[in-house]
Amino acid sequence: MRVADCCKRGVITVDATADIVDVAKTMRDEHVGFLIVIEDGDPKRKPIGVITDRDIVLQVCAKEVDPHAVTAVDIMSRDPLVAREDDDLNAVLQAMRLDGFRRVPVITGEGALAGVIAVDDAVDSVAGLLCDISGSIRNEQRQERRRRTG
């Protein structure tokens, strides 16, 4: 299975120069705890970093830093692990596990932002496949019973 088969396409981004209050408001308004940081005005929206709600708590709130004096680029994780749309999902999940990430940006072959893949997305895909498999088994059993009784 390819990453493109199960990644989410609706990606929320934030400009590198956005102050942390704006970043937090975006997270609240969009109901997300993970944003992809891009350079201001980049039409391809190439990911330069990622920022999480945990980053804000640990690097701003816990240190009592003025959130208006800090920008996304100041606290983002730089050079994030990224997946390409054509990457094998299993290989990407292994890299995520080894690096300790639950979500990573997905890019096109040209490096443009295409989506985000989360462990949850993979679980949903696998669960769907397991339902298909179990449905096939049940249908086969029903057909066998009909043949024996009919």
Side-chain angles (χ1 to χ4, degrees):
M1 181 179 293
R2 296 175 327 124
V3 169
D5 297 332
C6 63
C7 73
K8 296 276 193 277
R9 298 296 177 162
V11 181
I12 310 301
T13 62
V14 64
D15 289 337
T17 58
D19 76 28
I20 295 306
V21 172
D22 290 334
V23 171
K25 286 180 181 178
T26 299
M27 287 180 173
R28 180 201 59 208
D29 294 346
E30 299 295 335
H31 307 285
V32 296
F34 174 86
L35 296 172
I36 298 171
V37 182
I38 59 171
E39 289 289 348
D40 301 351
D42 178 7
K44 288 189 175 184
R45 302 185 330 150
K46 292 181 181 178
I48 62 166
V50 296
I51 188 167
T52 66
D53 48 5
R54 181 172 169 82
D55 294 329
I56 294 171
V57 169
L58 295 178
Q59 296 182 50
V60 179
C61 299
K63 293 181 180 178
E64 298 183 22
V65 175
D66 176 8
H68 291 289
V70 180
T71 63
V73 75
D74 295 329
I75 68 167
M76 71 181 187
S77 296
R78 298 174 185 280
D79 299 318
L81 174 66
V82 296
R84 294 191 179 275
E85 291 177 300
D86 290 333
D87 284 348
D88 177 66
L89 180 61
N90 187 47
V92 171
L93 290 172
Q94 285 179 357
M96 291 169 69
R97 178 179 53 84
L98 291 172
D99 290 346
F101 297 121
R102 294 184 319 177
R103 299 165 288 227
V104 297
V106 177
I107 58 173
T108 65
E110 296 79 38
L113 184 60
V116 69
I117 183 73
V119 172
D120 301 9
D121 300 326
V123 169
D124 287 345
S125 291
V126 170
L129 291 172
L130 290 173
C131 286
D132 291 343
I133 291 168
S134 68
S136 295
I137 293 168
R138 278 194 308 273
N139 286 337
E140 183 181 42
Q141 290 169 341
R142 278 189 214 119
Q143 289 177 2
E144 188 176 313
R145 277 193 293 274
R146 276 191 223 130
R147 280 187 231 123
R148 280 190 270 143
T149 59

